[in-house]
Amino acid sequence: MFRIANPEYLYALIVIPALIAFFWYSRILRKKALALFGQKDILSVLMPNVSASRPVLKFILLLLALTSIIVGIARPQFGSKLKTEKRKGIELIIALDVSNSMMAEDIQPNRLERAKRAISQLVDKLSNDKIGLIVFAGDAYTQLPITADYVSAKLFLSSISPEMVPTQGTAIGAAIDLGVKSFNPQFAGSKAMIIITDGENHEDDAVGAATAAAKAGIVVYTLGMGLPQGGPIPDNSNGQKGYRKDKSGNIIVTKLDEAMLQKIAEAGNGAYIRANNAQVGLNNLFTEVNKMEKSELESQIYADYDDKFQYFIGFGLFLILLDFLILERRNKYLKNFKLFGERK
């Protein structure tokens, strides 16, 4: 298991693109300054030892060295020892709708991004529970199997986008069916699913799937992302902001289907909560979930981590030494040396 002990230091990497921009700009100014003295061909004769590529190579080496040192300061670590830990909790699966309608901006900044932020905050509150992530649109896919590794959960969450599901639509039933199969069959404790969607189900029998999940002992909660009046779906395919239109040229407005989500929650013996611009409501749902009976969970976690920062620091120092040894000018003693001789 890999982790960064002090990830806050990685923010220093923002200086890399700034240095690249500064170097590129200084090269432009240098070329303009040289152009004032004469033509390039004449100047190359007057300055035979000047190299155009070596300063670039030295700059790249310095950038790599700086990057390596910054990563080293952030203390990369690898897990070296596993231990089995027992604790009381529940198994929770969150199914997140990633269809195009979740990009509507009736909830700021948009439905999907607001849902991801709320899930991230929820993960921060977990302590003894296991969590899994499912994404769905026209079909459903497991993004993260049931795990107690909250760091991985947040990492996978950050990469979620509509592009990761090739088939568009909103197959809530498929997400529930996949969730039922994703729980640990050996775990006899409480199991819950939270379906986060705008409720526009066009694909399958979501209510029937929730009923089947309830019979299997899984409580299904629903969280409605969107406002009743709805909003247009952004379309940036032409390089400029626009909105999706139907075949008649009218802007498509996606609205929250509360009736559907209430039916799904009722069939799944759960509860329905609607999000708004003031709050998402996931914390309220988690309060309900947290009331469920806790059972003993057994999971393997990494107890010890070995620091590997020394390799990154060492590599960075080596690159700095290499940069020091490489001169910006050509070596006058080696410039005429040809390793393989001249071609005849």
Side-chain angles (χ1 to χ4, degrees):
M1 180 64 188
F2 174 79
R3 74 175 186 182
I4 298 291
N6 302 111
E8 62 273 11
Y9 289 114
L10 294 179
Y11 285 112
L13 291 174
I14 198 172
V15 75
I16 300 298
L19 289 175
I20 293 174
F22 177 77
F23 179 77
W24 174 75
Y25 182 67
S26 65
R27 296 281 292 181
I28 293 177
L29 293 180
R30 181 176 179 275
K31 287 182 179 180
K32 289 182 178 180
L34 287 174
L36 297 176
F37 287 96
Q39 296 181 359
K40 183 178 179 180
D41 295 339
I42 298 175
L43 291 175
S44 62
V45 175
L46 296 175
M47 299 182 296
N49 294 327
V50 173
S51 172
S53 59
R54 290 194 178 205
V56 176
L57 175 61
K58 286 172 65 64
F59 177 72
I60 292 174
L61 289 175
L62 281 177
L63 281 185
L64 292 175
L66 181 59
T67 301
S68 184
I69 290 174
I70 291 174
V71 173
I73 293 174
R75 292 181 59 201
Q77 299 176 328
F78 284 92
S80 58
K81 183 180 179 181
L82 278 170
K83 75 172 184 179
T84 300
E85 186 176 84
K86 292 183 178 180
R87 48 194 178 180
K88 286 191 173 183
I90 66 169
E91 287 191 346
L92 173 66
I93 287 181
I94 296 178
L96 178 59
D97 185 355
V98 295
S99 60
N100 288 327
S101 60
M102 288 291 286
M103 299 305 292
E105 298 170 346
D106 51 345
I107 291 183
Q108 294 295 320
N110 59 57
R111 297 174 181 176
L112 180 59
E113 187 61 33
R114 190 69 179 275
K116 288 168 61 176
R117 293 178 185 177
I119 296 172
S120 180
Q121 293 171 358
L122 171 62
V123 172
D124 290 335
K125 295 183 178 181
L126 297 177
S127 56
N128 297 321
D129 306 300
K130 287 189 174 182
I131 188 172
L133 289 175
I134 288 175
V135 294
F136 68 95
D139 204 349
Y141 301 88
T142 299
Q143 177 75 353
L144 178 71
I146 285 284
T147 180
D149 186 355
Y150 302 145
V151 176
S152 294
K154 295 186 73 170
L155 180 64
F156 279 93
L157 177 67
S158 64
S159 64
I160 291 177
S161 68
E163 289 75 25
M164 67 192 315
V165 179
T167 306
Q168 279 301 312
T170 310
I172 301 176
I176 297 175
D177 290 338
L178 180 58
V180 171
K181 298 175 184 176
S182 300
F183 286 102
N184 183 358
Q186 279 75 46
F187 179 64
S190 300
K191 302 175 182 179
M193 286 185 66
I194 298 178
I195 312 297
I196 303 177
T197 177
D198 52 30
E200 289 190 326
N201 188 71
H202 308 296
E203 311 298 328
D204 49 24
D205 183 10
V207 175
T211 302
K215 290 181 179 178
I218 300 167
V219 181
V220 181
Y221 298 88
T222 55
L223 176 61
M225 292 300 299
L227 302 179
Q229 66 269 25
I233 304 173
D235 181 10
N236 302 321
S237 57
N238 296 324
Q240 56 185 3
K241 186 172 182 179
Y243 297 100
R244 291 182 179 270
K245 298 180 180 180
D246 58 21
K247 294 180 179 179
S248 302
N250 299 315
I251 293 177
I252 300 173
V253 176
T254 171
K255 298 181 179 180
L256 174 67
D257 191 344
E258 285 195 287
M260 170 61 72
L261 294 180
Q262 288 169 347
K263 290 179 182 178
I264 294 172
E266 183 179 352
N269 294 330
Y272 163 73
I273 290 181
R274 188 182 82 195
N276 54 47
N277 276 306
Q279 60 177 359
V280 172
L282 198 54
N283 289 332
N284 296 333
L285 276 184
F286 181 66
T287 300
E288 294 295 321
V289 172
N290 218 26
K291 294 177 183 177
M292 300 175 71
E293 183 179 352
K294 306 283 185 176
S295 300
E296 190 173 81
L297 292 167
E298 188 175 280
S299 60
Q300 285 190 322
I301 63 171
Y302 282 96
D304 293 327
Y305 284 83
D306 288 337
D307 279 305
K308 302 298 180 183
F309 69 90
Q310 59 270 24
Y311 297 105
F312 292 89
I313 299 292
F315 182 63
L317 294 176
F318 168 75
L319 291 177
I320 291 176
L321 176 62
L322 189 61
D323 174 78
F324 178 76
L325 294 176
I326 297 176
L327 302 177
E328 287 199 3
R329 292 175 173 270
R330 297 190 185 99
N331 191 309
K332 64 181 180 179
Y333 299 107
L334 297 177
K335 66 177 182 178
N336 295 322
F337 176 74
K338 295 180 175 58
L339 181 61
F340 300 103
E342 296 183 358
R343 293 183 180 180
K344 296 182 180 180

